[in-house]
Amino acid sequence: MLDASPLSLSAADADAFLPPTALAVPAAADWRQTLKVGDIVSFRFPVEDLEGGPAKNRPYLLLEVEPTHAGPRITLAYGTTVHGGRNRGYEVRLSDPAVFREAGLHRPTRFIGLRRLTVSADHPGFAVCRDLGTPKIGRLAGAEFERLQAVRDRIHAEADIAADRRAERRREVAEDRARRSRAPARPFVVEVKRRRQVTSR
């Protein structure tokens, strides 16, 4: 499920992260069970690029990992190297070279919390490195991880407010229906008409 329309894909974005083999990311028997909030993964962008080519691998930031009976549900935040002034309250920016290289990137990147994608851990969009057996390319730390938590807190708070509003609206509708069902019936009068008898002459 894509929560908002994605940004346009640029060639710079597609080349925003280092090959996974360049990073010291330990292999896992089942990487799906090891993903955590703050991980950065390689994921195939779900639309064709501007030139009409196939989807490309790009960095996404893990916002949520929700356990379900069918396996983890992963919420990812879109990563882009395109500068912009919108969505600032929902962004995690990696601008310092030491920071973005530690996260598996080789260009300044911003992850946009409003551009979210929720998929199962088995989604074929995860680009698993053959050598490492995982799509994970890095992880946030320090101030950048704290910023991620602030963005998550804001998203959660807004979701709670929206849920409360929907619940209040449902209560109002239910109360209105109950009032209508309890309203007294409109009075009515039964008029009896007698049939006229026809006499023969």
Side-chain angles (χ1 to χ4, degrees), residues 165-182:
R165 288 176 177 172
R166 290 192 297 268
E168 179 63 25
R169 178 55 182 163
R170 287 193 294 269
R171 285 193 295 269
E172 291 175 353
V173 171
E175 291 172 359
D176 183 62
R177 289 176 177 173
R179 282 194 300 269
R180 293 184 180 184
S181 66
R182 293 193 301 266

Side-chain angles (χ1 to χ4, degrees), residues 85-108:
R86 302 174 60 184
N87 306 312
R88 287 189 179 275
Y90 301 87
E91 287 186 345
V92 178
R93 289 177 176 260
L94 282 68
S95 302
D96 184 276
V99 171
F100 62 70
R101 288 187 178 277
E102 180 68 20
L105 309 167
H106 65 76
R107 300 190 61 174

Side-chain angles (χ1 to χ4, degrees), residues 48-130:
E48 293 183 346
D49 66 16
L50 296 178
E51 289 75 29
K56 296 180 180 180
N57 299 345
R58 61 184 304 112
Y60 274 79
L61 174 63
L62 263 74
L63 289 181
E64 303 292 341
V65 180
E66 178 187 2
T68 71
H69 69 281
R73 295 282 295 174
I74 311 298
T75 299
L76 304 170
Y78 176 96
T80 179
T81 59
V82 177
H83 297 288
R86 302 174 60 184
N87 306 312
R88 287 189 179 275
Y90 301 87
E91 287 186 345
V92 178
R93 289 177 176 260
L94 282 68
S95 302
D96 184 276
V99 171
F100 62 70
R101 288 187 178 277
E102 180 68 20
L105 309 167
H106 65 76
R107 300 190 61 174
T109 302
R110 60 192 181 102
F111 295 97
I112 306 173
L114 285 181
R115 303 290 175 89
R116 300 190 296 275
L117 181 68
T118 300
V119 298
S120 71
D122 294 320
H123 194 284
F126 285 103
V128 179
C129 174
R130 293 181 180 178

